[in-house]
Amino acid sequence: MVRGHDAGPVLATVPLDFQWPTVDPFLFCVHHDDAYPPGNDALGPAAPLTGRRIGMDFDGIDGWRMYHGDVVPGFPRHPHRGFETITIARRGFIDHADSLGATGRFGAGDVQWMTAGRGIVHSEMFPLLSRDAPNPTELFQIWLNLPRADKLVEPHYQMMWRHRIPTARFADESGRPVEVRAIAGAVGGVRPPAPPPHSWAARPDADVAIWIVRMAPGARWTPPPARPGVHRTLYLVRGGPARVAGVDVPPRTGVQVVADADVPIDNGPADAEWLLLQGRPIGEPVAHYGPFVMTSHDEIRDAIADYQRGGFGGWPWPADGPVHPREAGRFAVYAGGRTERPPP
């Protein structure tokens, strides 16, 4: 957060770009929003790739990006150690594969929560399933830190299918609705599925919350206060302007607020959507090198050496960015072979 406020419960505001600033215990948040065209037979874009930096395409030409993909957009195999990724797939689909042997396809409201722990390699590809219509793809990816004591735990991967993620419903004094989709942290009498066992979010006193808040035009809502010392940030994803504790908030703005105070949100004349990230800070040093997040440079050197020596268990897939057949549907295969298929 880069713009401070002199007094009151609003601590700072910042305009939002592609990658959003976060505060401890969060490390990173990025909003992918790509207007992909119809897909081809290989599940890539049925459009020319001329002029794109294939392998490093973040330019947003024509409203979409290939990222590190060369046929299908996305992120072919890459390692992580020392933190967690939480991927909220809002539109479109993501094909997952990892070094544990887990794989699957999720999207359209599903959430994947992965504890990298001591080390995992995974790929995240965005197959364009529709041949005859555009393939809009939108997701949040959030990195949640792990404390030093848990940075080398066994990796863990789990799906939170959309039908299991609860929504709390509120109405202000004028009856205007507010909906809160709870991915982590109970709210309004609803409780989301449990996070992975070694997650910082699994500790009740960590007060971690990840909520998507939808507000009707003109609605007012005050998020329930958290414990003292907790960090809370609101990101105005869509809609606006709005006001937070009397402070004007333009569209596409992040707002860091005092978490243990009543901080009312007054929506403007359009439907609005916020992402709320909250948690007690871990309060440890952060040494960050690309996909590795540890607490010292020596630990980073160890992570690099371990990855170079053994690839965090190797890669059991025939391609760096495997995708599933067009008709595969949503599913997850976990390490060991257990398979889940959610309802349509």
Side-chain angles (χ1 to χ4, degrees):
M1 297 294 164
V2 296
R3 186 184 306 156
H5 292 264
D6 294 334
V10 173
L11 303 175
T13 60
V14 62
L16 297 181
D17 200 349
F18 177 68
Q19 182 177 328
W20 300 349
T22 56
V23 292
D24 187 4
F26 296 95
L27 299 162
F28 173 94
C29 182
V30 65
H31 182 208
H32 297 273
D33 193 2
D34 290 283
Y36 290 116
N40 58 26
D41 289 344
L43 306 185
L49 301 182
T50 307
R52 295 180 180 273
R53 298 182 297 161
I54 296 303
M56 187 65 74
D57 176 26
F58 287 79
D59 296 331
I61 298 170
D62 297 329
W64 52 275
R65 306 160 184 85
M66 290 295 291
Y67 299 105
H68 296 310
D70 55 7
V71 175
V72 176
F75 297 86
R77 66 168 169 170
H78 55 281
H80 293 304
R81 172 180 274 189
F83 63 98
E84 298 186 285
T85 64
I86 303 156
T87 305
I88 305 171
R90 292 157 60 80
R91 296 185 294 168
F93 297 91
I94 302 169
D95 280 2
H96 165 89
D98 67 36
S99 53
L100 304 177
T103 188
R105 172 174 290 165
F106 65 101
D110 301 324
V111 175
Q112 183 202 76
W113 197 315
M114 188 182 76
T115 305
R118 62 178 174 79
I120 194 169
V121 181
H122 75 154
S123 68
E124 305 156 287
M125 307 305 295
F126 307 153
L128 308 184
L129 302 186
S130 175
R131 290 189 177 97
D132 303 320
N135 288 276
T137 299
E138 183 189 3
L139 61 120
F140 299 123
Q141 185 162 99
I142 300 160
W143 289 12
L144 176 61
N145 203 7
L146 288 167
R148 184 174 187 177
D150 291 329
K151 283 190 175 293
L152 298 182
V153 297
E154 288 294 314
H156 183 92
Y157 150 70
Q158 71 183 43
M159 287 303 311
M160 297 168 62
W161 302 110
R162 64 190 179 213
H163 71 282
R164 297 186 59 225
I165 299 173
T167 297
R169 291 176 170 83
F170 304 90
D172 67 12
E173 292 181 353
S174 299
R176 289 177 286 245
V178 175
E179 295 184 349
V180 182
R181 191 167 189 247
I183 293 155
V187 60
V190 305
R191 184 174 297 278
H198 291 286
S199 176
W200 187 243
R203 304 184 184 206
D205 64 345
D207 228 357
V208 171
I210 301 173
W211 300 337
I212 296 175
V213 181
R214 296 181 175 92
M215 302 184 69
R220 166 176 269 226
W221 183 64
T222 300
R227 294 180 176 89
V230 167
H231 290 164
R232 175 181 283 176
T233 305
L234 302 161
Y235 301 92
L236 181 52
V237 181
R238 285 197 173 90
R243 290 175 67 81
V244 174
V247 174
D248 290 331
V249 178
R252 300 285 298 177
T253 298
V255 187
Q256 186 181 358
V257 300
V258 176
D260 61 337
D262 286 332
V263 183
I265 304 170
D266 290 287
N267 192 23
D271 288 312
E273 193 168 36
W274 302 76
L275 175 67
L276 181 149
L277 299 182
Q278 168 191 296
R280 178 165 63 86
I282 292 172
E284 296 177 348
V286 174
H288 184 192
Y289 182 79
F292 308 130
V293 182
M294 305 301 290
T295 59
S296 71
H297 294 297
D298 286 344
E299 291 171 344
I300 291 290
R301 284 192 287 269
D302 290 344
I304 294 170
D306 288 347
Y307 176 62
Q308 290 175 337
R309 182 166 48 245
F312 293 162
W315 187 248
W317 308 103
D320 286 347
V323 294
H324 301 291
R326 189 183 306 272
E327 65 279 3
R330 293 158 52 240
F331 71 98
V333 178
Y334 293 93
R338 181 173 64 89
T339 300
E340 288 181 348
R341 283 200 175 271

